């Protein structure tokens, strides 16, 4: 019962951190548009918290470069478990049209594990919402790494069986 | 280019630029381009009442060049960028990011001077 | 009984003399500790003997010389010495005020004073007893704390010849003088002790003989001499009105005339100078150059209390007059202005100094409100302020000796270096500003007492809010993290002991507030018929201090907050599973977890320095002091003027 | 017995009411912005989720401070339900306020530190105002006890309308609504990230959130005292007040603390003074 | 006085783009602001040497997703100039139309973010809601909401049907009404004005000397707008640069608001011209390879953008160099930060409408 | 403030602007470049799309008849579809769905046998770059 409640709460309350990892702004403005009246992702309990320590979902847009990859890494580590990462746009997925530029490392998954990829250039708000919904499914599955992983701890985390999504 | 291009030498550029400023020209920006494997073109773009005018400074990439940041302080950004991308060196550039404006240690080549390793990085 | 008084007043004088002669550090330490112990015990015993003492059995003469004569001679001698110091320091003001006192005193003693009905020159009621306890216990603790402190202090200064004998001479001498002051009934005795404290303070401020110390000591001396002059003038005028130098007679004179009110006003002004009220605050601020035990003893927990003691003593005599209202306004204003000034300070001792002046202002405001509730608030505040502030000064002293700075900015994360001291300091600070500590109970009562007077209550309301600012940020920045299992800081036993005892006393006594009230303060009102009739508070079941206007549930609040805090500490301890991480630095932190370093422009590491707001443009001394002083002078003149116009009831 | 019941009510009902109110707040805010908004019970999801997250902190003091903040908030609500002394209640809530600030100061993070400084300035702003409101209540009812307010035959609003306005300033500051949302705001679109709350995370943020609910209830309770003679009156007053808060929140930019100090102190003090004076006339 | 050093960015909720400012404040008054860039630098100018000059259109378009279309426009115009291509008038009109749509949506986006920078959330919401109208127009006419990819060298790829033209006209009316509703809040509200008026003042001289561009320059009283050059179809249209004299954040806001209204008028003019244009040709033929040097300028929402192109007869260009408006506006920003309150930093940073992605490329 | 009050009150009493995606899906605009798709049977493996693609995300192998595209790198510009001589490439008007894993669009078709030579020849020669610059739809 308790487990179910917690899972439900997690899925119902995904707070996002949006990191512009060297994007062209195209994907950023579409991500931001998700917050605005037309799309209003707060419907799903989402808040753009802007602070890794408060976030459950990391939205990354843009190409990873040699400078911002360190930031990306740090932000990811500062987020408390359980967390999911969504990469947005061709750039975040692979480097997009800039893949072979000299300061481009590639997609987000070169630096941190990515749970959901949202293609597009830019990814339109509906696509981002789809991505978030998919990520929530992932979040539902994420049992807390009790032993493994740097930050794993389970005192408040009821152990969850990976019951599969939805 | 359809606009006038004035060739300047490294020794004269400071003076010439100051004259432009005194004559009321706005510095629009700096562009750099490799001419061949050694020579670099640095173009200074000026604007006055919607007309453009350019300076062309042609010099060996490795020779130190005078900074015009003392004349047009806003030039510091463009000059730092040129330092990053071409590993040219501007003297008396304030503030001097020393080739860290854009680049990290991981980039070991000079982006626009192909086939040259950035030996003088980390100066 | 009389032996006790001798112990409390005379012993320190004798012991001080002995200490002055002793060069051996160990002997000196022993003597200081012994004196302190004896004083503490004597004060407790005196209390145990009852609440009202009229020391009639006291021998009237010693070695054939009448005490009165002895005091007179000593008085002249003291004024002479002060005059000499004034000349030596080339201070016209000191010379002027002291010479005036000399002349006035001489005229008074020679031509005016006539033998009246005899009365015992000493007297104690619970107000005196409370002060005797503070002086003897807190004072002694501070003196003992001074032992290791001064050793290190002199090590730092690398003196060739120790000047500790002189130091402890004045410290111990001062204890005796204070006890004498609060026990005096004869106003000339009162005056004598008043002057001794002035002199001790002067000598101790200039103890280090730096240029600044000398300058500040001289300033303190002239301001306090002005106070002495006002005191003497007040006594003389009162004598002219009432024909007595019996303090009790003055206090109980009833429906005062304008002239007598003027005299009382002068006494109040004398209190203002001693309590460093605006516009006299600058001497206390300057006094912070003295070694910290001096600041703790003289300039926060005891001597400045002599100032408020004078006012409180005589307050019933002018209850309900315009003087009273004026006093409340002056006090309230000082409370507000100095709280504001404290916000502009980053020097820990100056913060403490301003806070002291501010709190003394609140006490004086209570004296001005002049109801039993206000009196209770004032006395409670004297007690708890003495404890907390004494403790805080000692803390700052210890911290300064360890980190070499008294600037609060340098104390950031002190818990890392001095965990024990940091925790004690935090406790001390919180005891000045939060329930369930005693200071808050007094504040609660003060606000209730002031609630009828919109202006005073507004001043108090604004002042307490300002108080929160400078305390809370100081307490907060002391916190920090520490590696698990790292050793606690080492400290001389006496230092640690003094801190621990005072800290414990703050906590325990706060819990005992209802007892203090019921046993010590309530009986005091028997002697104050001039005040309103009803008892201000009742001690209800479960330690609820209740009155007609409200109730402060001391025990429940104490239990909930302290037990809650302990529970919270337990929780905190059990955060073994917590992952400790970097502070948020926009994703570019580098280096150690707690270092607060980020990767800045040009890829260079930058420390994210932190700093409080001192708001110099709003609360800075440069911005406020002038206008605050002016306003205070106007208020004081107004108060005096109203008083002289004669007992117009407010 | 009565005490125990009231205490229990305070303990349990207050957070429920506070959470629900937070939900309504978000919903109505969304509507005012022409959005659909989250479900009403969203705050509870948030809280549960927070408690189920990994425990992350910078140092243990933070944790301590969060606990004390919560405790003080709970205790002041309990005192309120037990009709205690208003000043006492005020001091107890100040414990929470101070510990919140100290927690933020304990961390070497400029954001939380600057937030703490701003929070202190907010405390500095609303404390005297609240105290004057209580003084006004005292002058009308002759006591600082809540019980005597309840015994008062007429709504306080009639005698203290300006002080009620003053109270709403304090309410706005405490609710962290525009134009006073600069020490921390509900979301993070602010130069200080989340100010005092920047460094709290997971369950510890949950503690703070919960404490905030209690505080909301407390301060709305204070508002309710102004029409304590009738329950519908109370409801109308609270509803109107809260709606007004939301309206103000949605029609104003965030201001700076310099403005707040200047504006709220002058306007607040003038209002309070006028009201107190006219009581005496 | 105690210093506080704040790492403002690269990840920061009020900075949608990663840029770092090392801020030193005392009592929240900024004493020093030093920037660090490079978090968005991709090195895409280099791609000119790896892509042919046609492919580069799509690359430069992605320098920035906000006025993407104007980037490719500038690039295409440069190449067309270099190769002497005559672009059909219809294409020029369409290019101008999309340019103005981009300007409106960019300014609306900015106005919203600006409102958010001083914590006016509902105003932000309102403005972004209005902005969706433009995005719908983009999507319907060009197949994508944001990066429209309509430009090709020699012309455009998409046509706007007559039915669509009528719809656009209708949308413009609704758009204008929405803007008028928001006007008094944005430009007259007491709280908004007290957060923006007199903040970050840039005098006329400073603005010119520091090389400010676009609304920042015009907000300081200098009537300079690259559209006056008459590129695309601007030469056929009737408009005046929007200028404000005060040089503060409020003036910049007013300029941008004025430009949105101006865009509406321009769109109406263009639609009128389109209806009269009879030649259906959308693109000219491209022959040969670019050779020579050219400098080309356009007015983006953020101001003057300059492309320097150099070709040597190969399919790849030798050099594509982009000097974007934000690049020009960073020095003015740094000049106005010292002395302001910390709370005004986001307001001022936003007031230059920073686009770091194009600054660093 | 007053005008804003009117605004927000109007919002309160008018229908919400929110599009309830995904519960309700809006009709896409005609010509929206949602996702790239291919009728592989129409493809003649000319490789033009691969050469024109600015993101370099298409690989065409005429020998094995393999046409591959990396949808994670595609920037949905439509250049390939513009140039496809047989209109085998086209855009569906629904955006590409998010994925949890990277996968290639990979198709195998029948490379034209006979015309192979001429195709190769033309591809190698200078193809008129802008042959199909009119709108795709
Ligand atoms: S995917 Fe496209 S829109 Fe998104 S950041 Fe990259 S280039 Fe910009
Ligand atoms: S640091 Fe303290 S002990 Fe040392 S010299 Fe200074 S005041 Fe004395
Ligand atoms: S902080 Fe930003 S997002 Fe949050 S409520 Fe305020 S304006 Fe909105
Ligand atoms: S200024 Fe920004 S929005 Fe405009 S073109 Fe440059 S990058 Fe794009
Ligand atoms: S400043 Fe403008 S372009 Fe840059 S991220 Fe913000 S909205 Fe996008
Ligand atoms: S749509 Fe553009 S990026 Fe995608 S495959 Fe086609 S040409 Fe390449
Ligand atoms: S351009 Fe068309 S036909 Fe040619 S390979 Fe590509 S998809 Fe096949
Ligand atoms: S000629 Fe070119 S475009 Fe036409 S079919 Fe052959 S390869 Fe394709």
């Amino acid at each position: 019962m308790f487990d179910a409640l917690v899972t439900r709460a997690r899925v119902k309350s995904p707070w996002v951190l949006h990191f512009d990892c060297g994007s062209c702004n195209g994907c950023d403005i579409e991500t931001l548009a998700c917050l605005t009246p037309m799309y209003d992702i707060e419907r799903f309990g989402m808040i753009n918290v802007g602070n890794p320590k408060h976030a459950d979902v990391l939205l990354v847009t843009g190409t990873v470069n040699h400078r911002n990859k360190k930031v990306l890494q740090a932000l990811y580590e500062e987020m408390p478990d359980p967390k999911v990462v969504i990469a947005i746009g061709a750039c975040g997925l692979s480097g997009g049209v800039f893949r072979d530029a000299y300061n481009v490392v590639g997609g987000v998954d070169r630096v941190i594990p990515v749970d959901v990829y949202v293609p597009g250039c830019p990814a339109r708000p509906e696509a981002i919402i789809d991505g978030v919904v998919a990520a929530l499914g992932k979040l539902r599955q994420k049992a807390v790494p009790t032993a493994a992983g740097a930050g794993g701890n389970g005192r408040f985390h009821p152990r969850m069986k990976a019951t599969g999504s939805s | 280019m359809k606009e006038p291009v004035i060739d300047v030498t490294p020794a004269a550029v400071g003076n010439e630029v100051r004259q432009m400023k005194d004559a009321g020209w706005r510095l629009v920006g700096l562009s750099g381009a490799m001419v061949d494997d050694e020579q670099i073109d640095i173009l200074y773009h000026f604007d006055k009442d919607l007309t453009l005018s350019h300076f062309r400074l042609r010099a060996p990439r490795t020779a130190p060049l005078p900074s015009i940041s003392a004349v047009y302080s806003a030039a510091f950004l463009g000059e730092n960028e040129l330092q990053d991308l071409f590993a040219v060196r501007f003297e008396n550039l304030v503030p001097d990011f020393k080739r860290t404006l854009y680049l990290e240690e991981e980039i070991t080549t000079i982006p626009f001077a192909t086939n040259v390793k950035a030996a003088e990085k980390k100066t | 009984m009389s032996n006790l008084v001798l112990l409390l007043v005379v012993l320190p004088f004798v012991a001080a003399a002995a200490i002055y002669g002793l060069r051996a550090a160990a002997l000196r330490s022993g003597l200081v500790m012994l004196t302190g112990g004896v004083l503490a015990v004597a004060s407790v015993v005196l209390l145990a003997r009852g609440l009202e003492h009229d020391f009639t059995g006291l021998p009237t003469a010693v070695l054939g010389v009448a005490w009165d004569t002895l005091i007179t001679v000593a008085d002249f001698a003291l004024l002479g010495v002060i005059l000499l110091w004034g000349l030596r320091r080339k201070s016209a003001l000191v010379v002027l005020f002291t010479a005036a006192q000399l002349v006035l005193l001489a005229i008074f003693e020679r031509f005016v004073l006539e033998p009246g009905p005899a009365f015992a020159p000493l007297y104690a009621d619970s107000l005196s007893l409370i002060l005797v306890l503070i002086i003897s216990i807190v004072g002694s603790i501070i003196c003992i704390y001074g032992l290791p402190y001064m050793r290190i202090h002199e090590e730092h200064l690398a003196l060739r010849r120790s000047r500790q004998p002189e130091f402890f001479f004045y410290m111990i001498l001062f204890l005796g003088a204070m006890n004498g002051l609060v026990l005096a009934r004869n106003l000339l005795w009162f005056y004598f002790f008043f002057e001794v404290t002035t002199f001790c303070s002067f000598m101790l401020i200039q103890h280090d003989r730096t240029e600044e110390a000398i300058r500040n000591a001289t300033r303190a001396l002239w301001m306090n001499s002005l106070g002495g002059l006002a005191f003497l003038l007040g006594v003389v005028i009162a004598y002219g009105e009432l024909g007595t130098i019996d303090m009790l007679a003055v206090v109980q004179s009833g429906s005062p005339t304008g002239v007598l009110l003027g005299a009382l006003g002068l006494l109040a002004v004398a209190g203002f100078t001693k309590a460093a009220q605006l516009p006299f605050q600058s001497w206390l601020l300057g006094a912070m150059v003295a070694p910290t035990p001096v600041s703790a003893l003289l300039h926060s927990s005891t001597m400045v209390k002599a100032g408020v003691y004078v006012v409180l003593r005589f307050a019933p005599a002018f209850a309900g007059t315009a003087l009273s209202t004026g006093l409340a306004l002056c006090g309230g204003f000082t409370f507000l202005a100095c709280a504001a000034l404290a916000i502009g300070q980053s020097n820990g001792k100056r913060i403490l100094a301003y806070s002291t002046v501010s709190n003394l202002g609140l006490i004086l405001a209570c004296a001005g409100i002049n109801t039993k509730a206000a009196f209770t608030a004032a006395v409670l505040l004297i007690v708890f302020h003495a404890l907390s502030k004494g403790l805080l000064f000692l803390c700052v002293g210890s911290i300064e000796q360890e980190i070499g700075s008294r600037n609060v900015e340098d104390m950031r994360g002190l818990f890392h270096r001095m965990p024990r001291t940091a925790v004690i300091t935090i406790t001390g600070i919180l005891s000045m500003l939060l329930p369930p500590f005693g200071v808050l109970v007094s504040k609660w009562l003060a606000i209730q007492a002031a609630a009828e007077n919109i202006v005073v209550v507004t001043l108090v309301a604004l002042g307490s809010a300002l108080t929160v600012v400078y305390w809370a940020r100081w307490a907060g920045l002391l916190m920090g993290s520490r590696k698990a299992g790292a050793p606690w800081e080492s400290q001389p036993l006496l230092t640690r002991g003094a801190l621990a005892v005072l800290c414990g006393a703050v906590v325990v006594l706060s819990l005992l507030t209802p007892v203090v009230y019921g046993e010590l303060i309530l009986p005091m009102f028997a002697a104050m018929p001039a005040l309103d009739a009803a008892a201000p508070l009742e001690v209800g079941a479960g330690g609820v201090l209740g009155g007609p206007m409200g109730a402060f549930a001391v025990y429940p609040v104490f239990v909930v907050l302290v037990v809650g805090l302990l529970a919270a500490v337990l929780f905190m301890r059990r955060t073994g599973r917590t992952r400790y991480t970097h502070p948020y630095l926009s994703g570019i932190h580098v280096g150690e977890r707690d270092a607060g370093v980020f990767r800045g422009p040009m890829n260079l590491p930058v420390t994210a320095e932190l700093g409080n707001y001192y708001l110099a443009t709003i609360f800075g001394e440069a911005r406020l002091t002038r206008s605050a002083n002016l306003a205070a002078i106007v208020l004081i003149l107004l108060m005096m003027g109203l008083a002289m116009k004669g007992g117009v009831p407010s | 017995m009565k005490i125990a019941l009231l205490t229990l009510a305070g303990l349990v009902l207050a957070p429920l009411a506070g959470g629900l109110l937070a939900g309504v707040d978000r919903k109505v805010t969304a509507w005012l912005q022409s959005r659909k908004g989250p479900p009403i019970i969203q705050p509870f999801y948030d809280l549960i989720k927070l408690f189920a997250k990994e425990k992350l902190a910078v140092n243990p003091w933070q944790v301590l401070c969060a606990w004390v903040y919560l405790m003080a908030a709970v205790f002041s609500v309990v005192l309120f339900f037990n009709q205690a002394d208003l000043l006492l209640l005020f001091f107890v809530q100040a414990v929470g306020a101070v510990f919140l600030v100290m927690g933020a100061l304990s961390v070497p993070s400029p954001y939380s530190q600057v937030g703490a400084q701003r929070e202190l300035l907010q405390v500095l702003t609303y404390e005297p105002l609240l105290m004057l409101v209580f003084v006004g209540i005292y002058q009308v009812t002759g006591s600082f006890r809540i019980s005597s307010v309840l015994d008062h035959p007429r709504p306080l609003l009639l005698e203290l309308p300006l002080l009620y306005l003053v109270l709403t300033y304090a309410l706005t500051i405490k609710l962290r609504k525009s134009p006073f949302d600069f020490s921390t705001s509900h979301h993070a679109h602010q130069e200080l990230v989340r100010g005092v709350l920047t460094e709290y995370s997971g369950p510890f943020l949950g503690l703070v959130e919960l404490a905030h609910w209690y505080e909301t209830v407390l301060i709305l309770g204070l508002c309710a005292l102004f029409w304590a003679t009738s329950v519908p009156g109370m409801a109308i007053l609270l509803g109107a007040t809260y709606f007004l808060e939301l309206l103000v929140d949605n029609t104003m930019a965030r201001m700076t603390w310099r403005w707040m100090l200047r504006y709220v102190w002058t306007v607040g003090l003038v209002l309070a003074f006028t009201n107190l004076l006219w009581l005496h006339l | 006085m105690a210093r506080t050093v704040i790492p403002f960015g690269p990840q920061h909720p009020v900075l949608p783009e990663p840029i770092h400012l090392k801020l030193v404040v005392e009592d929240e008054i900024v004493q020093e602001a030093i920037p660090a860039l490079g978090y968005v630098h991709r090195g895409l100018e280099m791609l000119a040497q790896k892509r042919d000059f046609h492919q580069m259109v799509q690359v430069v378009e992605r320098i920035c997703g906000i006025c993407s279309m104007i980037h490719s426009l500038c690039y295409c115009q440069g190449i067309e100039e270099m190769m002497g291509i005559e672009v059909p008038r219809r294409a020029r009109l369409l290019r101008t139309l999309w340019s103005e749509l981009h300007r409106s949506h960019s300014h609306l986006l900015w106005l919203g973010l600006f409102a958010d920078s001083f914590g006016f959330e509902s105003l932000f919401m309102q403005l972004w809601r209005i902005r969706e109208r433009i995005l719908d127009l983009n999507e319907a006419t060009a197949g994508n909401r944001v990066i429209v990819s309509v430009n090709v060298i020699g012309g455009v790829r998409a046509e706007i049907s007559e039915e669509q033209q009528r719809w656009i006209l209708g949308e413009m009316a609704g758009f204008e009404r929405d803007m008028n509703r928001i006007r008094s809040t944005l430009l007259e509200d007491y709280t908004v004005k007290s957060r923006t008026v007199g903040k970050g003042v840039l005098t006329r001289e400073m603005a010119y000397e520091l090389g400010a561009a676009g609304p920042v320059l015009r907000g300081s009283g200098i009537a300079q707008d690259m559209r006056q050059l008459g590129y695309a179809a601007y030469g056929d249209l009737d408009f005046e640069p929007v200028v404000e004299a005060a040089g503060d954040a409020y003036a910049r806001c007013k300029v941008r608001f004025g430009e949105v209204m101006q865009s509406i008028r321009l769109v109406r003019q263009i639609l009128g011209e389109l209806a009269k244009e009879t030649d259906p040709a959308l693109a000219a033929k491209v022959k040969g390879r670019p050779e020579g040097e050219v400098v080309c300028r356009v007015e983006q929402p953020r101001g003057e953008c300059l492309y320097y192109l150099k070709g040597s007869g190969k399919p790849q260009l030798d050099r594509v160099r982009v000097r974007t408006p934000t690049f020009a506006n960073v020095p003015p920003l740094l000049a106005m930060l010292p002395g302001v309150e910390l709370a005004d930093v986001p307001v001022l940073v936003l007031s230059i409408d920073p686009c770091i992605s194009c600054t660093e490329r | 403030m007053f005008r804003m009050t009117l605004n927000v009150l109007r919002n309160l009493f008018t229908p919400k602007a929110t599009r309830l995606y995904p519960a309700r899906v809006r009709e896409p605009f005609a010509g929206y470049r949602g996702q790239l798709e291919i009728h592989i049977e129409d493809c003649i493996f000319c490789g033009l799309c691969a050469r024109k693609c600015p993101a370099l995300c298409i690989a065409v192998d005429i020998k094995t008849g393999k046409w591959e595209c990396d949808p994670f790198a595609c920037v949905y510009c439509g250049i390939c579809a513009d140039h496809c001589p047989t209109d085998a490439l086209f855009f569906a008007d629904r955006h590409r769905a998010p994925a949890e894993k990277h996968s290639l669009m990979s198709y195998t078709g029948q490379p034209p046998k006979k015309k192979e030579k001429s195709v190769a020849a033309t591809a190698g020669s200078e193809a008129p770059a802008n042959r199909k610059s009119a709108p795709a739809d």
Side-chain angles (χ1 to χ4, degrees), chain A residues 37-39 43 99 117 124 130, chain F residues 18-19 21 55-56 95 99:
Chain A
M38 292 291 183
Y39 300 99
R43 285 182 287 150
R99 280 186 298 172
Y117 300 85
R124 60 184 292 125
D130 285 345
Chain F
T18 308
R19 298 171 184 156
Y21 187 87
L56 313 179
H95 63 258

Side-chain angles (χ1 to χ4, degrees), chain C residues 295-477:
Chain C
S295 316
L297 179 60
L298 279 75
H299 304 131
S300 75
S301 56
T302 55
M303 184 177 88
V304 288
K305 297 288 183 338
V308 295
Y309 170 77
V310 172
V311 180
L312 272 180
R313 238 326 148 209
F314 294 101
F318 52 80
T321 66
L323 176 58
S324 203
T325 315
L327 180 62
L329 283 179
C330 287
F333 180 71
T334 301
F335 177 59
L336 170 62
C338 288
L341 281 160
I343 292 185
Q345 301 303 311
S346 61
N347 177 326
K349 279 181 85 173
R350 285 180 83 86
I351 295 175
L352 294 181
Y354 271 123
S355 152
T356 302
V357 180
S358 173
N359 277 288
L360 295 175
L362 184 56
I363 299 175
L364 289 179
C366 289
I369 295 162
N370 239 331
T371 60
K372 284 185 180 166
F375 247 77
T376 312
V379 176
L380 281 177
L381 201 48
I382 290 182
V383 174
F384 287 109
H385 179 259
L387 282 172
S388 297
K389 203 47 81 56
L391 171 64
L392 283 175
F393 266 109
L394 300 193
C395 289
V396 171
S398 304
I399 294 170
E400 188 183 7
Q401 287 198 329
E402 173 76 23
I403 69 172
S405 165
R406 53 175 70 160
N407 190 317
V408 295
E409 292 297 335
D410 298 326
M411 299 180 196
R412 253 168 222 288
L414 186 77
F415 183 70
H416 177 70
R417 274 180 78 168
M418 306 177 75
R420 190 185 292 113
T421 315
V423 171
I424 292 179
T425 313
I426 292 170
T427 314
I429 290 174
L430 294 185
S431 75
M432 287 297 301
L433 110 142
L434 291 182
F437 291 104
V439 172
L440 248 279
V441 182
S442 8
K443 242 182 214 162
W444 166 77
L445 205 52
I447 294 171
Q448 298 211 335
E452 285 296 343
N453 187 329
I454 313 177
V455 181
V456 176
V457 85
T458 309
L459 293 175
V460 174
L462 291 174
S464 13
L466 290 165
T467 309
V468 175
V469 175
Y470 62 82
W471 284 135
R473 70 186 185 199
W474 189 354
L477 60 76

